[in-house]
Amino acid sequence: MTFSRRTTATGALAGAAALALVITGCASSGAGDEQTGADGDITLTVATFNDFGYTDELLAQYEEDNPGVTIVHNRAATSNDARDNFFTKLGAGSGLADIEGVEVDWFAEMMQYSDLLADLSDPEVADRWVDWKSEAATDAEGRLVAYGTDIGPEAVCYRADLFAEAGLPTDRAEVAELLEGDWDRYFEVGDQFVEATGGAWFDSAGATYQGMINQVEFAYEEEDGTVIATENPEVKAIYEQVLEASETQSAHLAQWSDDFFAGMANGDFATMLCPGWMLGVIEGNAPEVTDWDIADVFPGGGGNWGGSYLTVPAQGANVEEATKLAAWLTAPEQQLTAFDAAGTFPSQVETYEQDALLSATNAYFNDAPVGEILVNRSEAIGVAPFKSVKYFPINDALQKALTRVDVDDTHTIESSWEQFVAEVEALG
Amino acid sequence: MTATADRPRATGTPPTAPPSGRAPSDTTGKTDRQVRRIAFSQKLSRWDVKYSPYLYISPFFILFAIVGLFPLLYTAWVSVHEWNLIGGQGDFVGADNFAFVLQQEQFWIALRNTFSIFLISSVPQVATALLIAAVLDRNLRGKTFWRMGVLLPYIVAPVAVALIFSNMFGDQYGLINNLLGNIGIDPIGWHSDVFASHIAIATMVNFRWTGYTALILLAAMQAIPRDYYEASMIDGAGIVRQFFSITIPQLRPTLIFVIVTSTIGGLQIFDEPRLYDSAGQGGASGQWMTITIYLYNLGWGQLNFGRAAAVAWLLFIIIVLVGLLNLAITRRIASGDNPQKVLNRAARRAARTRRDQEVDA
């Protein structure tokens, strides 16, 4: 049998196409390795997730100031995706971007392998961050392996209309005064609110617990890594306090569930704990509501929820150039640009005195001076919780324990705690 | 393709035959064929006949060895070691990982969930697909439209399906609970109740896969000779009788295929339960945590690949066992290999009595 000319032509074309695919496939995946061109041009890859506030304009500006540098920015959808990707490729020893964004949630896990990351210590940037932010990124040998981007100082967001309904003050200064104090005070006002309206005071036990546990320095682990979560009376006390309050005060919404987002818009609860980045979440999910406001107060002092870092994996081909870019991205000026773009509250001390931050207001929250409030809240943060390797699996298990009682209503406070203890033991 | 068509000719023709007749021997790598001893050429042809078929099917097996067999064996190797995602291979621990996993309550919860979701998705799915296929097999107006229609859900990305359905199955603001509320039924805890969450996930699975299964069954139905139906009609058989006495027995090989593949798919279910809530860990008390989610949590959550690999192997063994069980059951359901047997009433009656006796015994 002979091929007709047409078949041959088609075959050749198909073959060529397949070949082209293979070649381009290799080329695009190999781009990370082959970065030095004829005239010293280099490509730096930056991998982030969610929204770090690094706009195309911002990156273009760096390219302009540094001729020969091209920046490729890859954004993963969620921090979990980024985490899976990060650990898989860190283990494989290749494939990571030149600069990798890391969330504080899995930062402790990453710090175990700090020797796989480049040392970024540099006297020039040493005093840039709030102390606890850079301390957390310094490993046992004193190497600074990550540059802080944003932090999440927490305030209290509240629904002015529901406050009015309950006969509570609605002005944000008065609300701040009303809630001033510890968590007992917060739940006490909650009782007043529930009695007056019958509605829920806060969104979920899980979120509230998060605010409380972040004020404990050694919650789940001791400094040497010994797990004390199940025996620590402080943890148990907070767990019980929040669940006892949640019985009447919680809207019983699982954090980040569809119901939770719907609840934000429907006025299911009167208050929620509000790190800087939460403002965007509320506005995005309840765009029609005009009664959300933010008060310059946080029960028990201050607290931090979330925040990220930039790291430079040592496996990269352009560690030096990447370090330079990471330093630039986390410099106060760029952090202010990012705050503008995505509301990521800077961890750079210098920005807290700058007018651009202090005078920032948020139209959605009735023109609240969010810059000033968050700066105050950031200064109130007194404790940086110690988070070692097991912190997050344990916290995860505890969140599930709270959900079982608060949302699912399948367990009692005691039986859920017992299951939590069993799960922590299984982590061993 | 050329080779297959030409091979018989190549063996029978002398070496002086036109080039086209010798094309296959070219494939063995000998291009210089000007002067050759006849015997060798014949030997080549003989080898060609003997080995070429294996060569032609070899790409699959080579590919399978690389992407299927090797990972399988490597996973077994990992499962008997301490193994961290980043640290890599640790000490040899023998069956410790298996023992650990089997002692975990979570593993058994995951096993229960997996089987529960598998059963309440696969059984109705195959049954519904069979009915849909039977209806589509009849003379409908706008056949292609309906046939493409049933496949439509299949091309919706699983992520999109999960997003839409988890919205519908919301506990407080979900569509379904709202509708139930309207007719005075208490809201169902789609995320807190074990069985309710399984139903919700099975719904997603069935939404996507029923049409796909139906089309496979339909293709098989179309291959059933129409004579059987005509003959049975003359014998006075109605539609239902035809369905059970002709269609189902004739579909046997396809049914086995469908049931085995849906078993494998059902026991490996991951996307839907993982996307059912935002945490993706199968619920606060593991209400809908399946084995693959448990595996994922061990591997990527706790970075413990040794234990995750042990779970992977346990799942593999479970699937093989269930597959064999399914095969045995399917053979019994759709007994009767050839059409004559099916149409022969006496034989059928005999088979039925035999079955009854077996049941009695």
Side-chain angles (χ1 to χ4, degrees), chain B residues 115-193:
Chain B
F115 271 93
S116 163
I117 295 174
F118 158 62
L119 284 177
I120 56 181
S121 63
S122 292
V123 175
Q125 187 194 115
V126 174
T128 323
L130 204 57
L131 277 179
I132 294 176
V135 173
L136 287 175
D137 191 33
R138 310 211 73 84
N139 258 329
L140 286 175
R141 212 176 274 229
K143 251 184 241 165
T144 319
F145 172 77
W146 297 113
R147 284 174 192 174
M148 294 319 292
V150 296
L151 196 63
L152 205 61
Y154 178 68
I155 58 174
V156 181
V159 177
V161 174
L163 280 179
I164 295 166
F165 276 79
S166 39
N167 206 312
M168 280 170 61
F169 286 108
D171 295 84
Q172 293 194 21
Y173 296 107
L175 180 72
I176 295 179
N177 273 353
N178 271 342
L179 290 177
L180 289 178
N182 285 342
I183 54 172
I185 299 176
D186 281 344
I188 294 170
W190 294 113
H191 286 82
S192 52
D193 187 63

Side-chain angles (χ1 to χ4, degrees), chain A residues 293-316:
Chain A
D293 211 321
I294 175 168
D296 187 359
V297 69
F298 193 72
N304 178 68
W305 182 0
S308 300
Y309 287 90
L310 293 183
T311 64
V312 177
Q315 56 175 255

Side-chain angles (χ1 to χ4, degrees), chain A residues 1-3 80-81 83-84 86-88 90-92 109 112-113 116 251-260 262-263 266 268 393 396 399-401 403-404 407-411 419 422-423 425-428, chain B residues 1-2 5-6 9 20-21 23 84-87 100 104-106 109 163 166-174 191-193 274 277-279 281 283-289 296-297 300-304 307:
Chain A
M1 190 194 287
T2 49
F3 283 121
N80 273 350
D81 294 344
R83 177 185 176 276
D84 295 349
F86 184 84
F87 283 124
T88 310
L90 191 66
E109 287 172 88
Q112 294 176 86
Y113 311 104
L116 298 176
H252 309 294
L253 301 165
Q255 253 188 91
W256 315 121
S257 67
D258 291 327
D259 282 341
F260 171 75
N266 293 357
D268 272 2
D396 211 49
Q399 285 288 346
K400 286 202 274 181
T403 304
R404 285 193 288 269
V407 182
D408 290 354
D409 199 16
T410 53
H411 287 66
Q419 195 170 328
E423 274 176 37
E425 271 159 18
L427 287 174
Chain B
M1 186 185 85
T2 40
D6 288 339
R9 255 202 289 156
S20 65
N84 186 282
L85 175 58
I86 294 163
F100 174 86
Q104 292 303 304
E105 201 197 343
Q106 292 212 327
I109 291 177
L163 280 179
S166 39
N167 206 312
M168 280 170 61
F169 286 108
D171 295 84
Q172 293 194 21
Y173 296 107
H191 286 82
S192 52
D193 187 63
R274 177 146 167 92
D277 75 346
S278 56
Q281 298 191 355
S285 26
Q287 291 98 323
W288 63 92
M289 179 183 63
Y296 188 89
N297 289 347
W300 279 269
Q302 302 179 16
L303 310 181
N304 193 328
R307 286 173 189 171

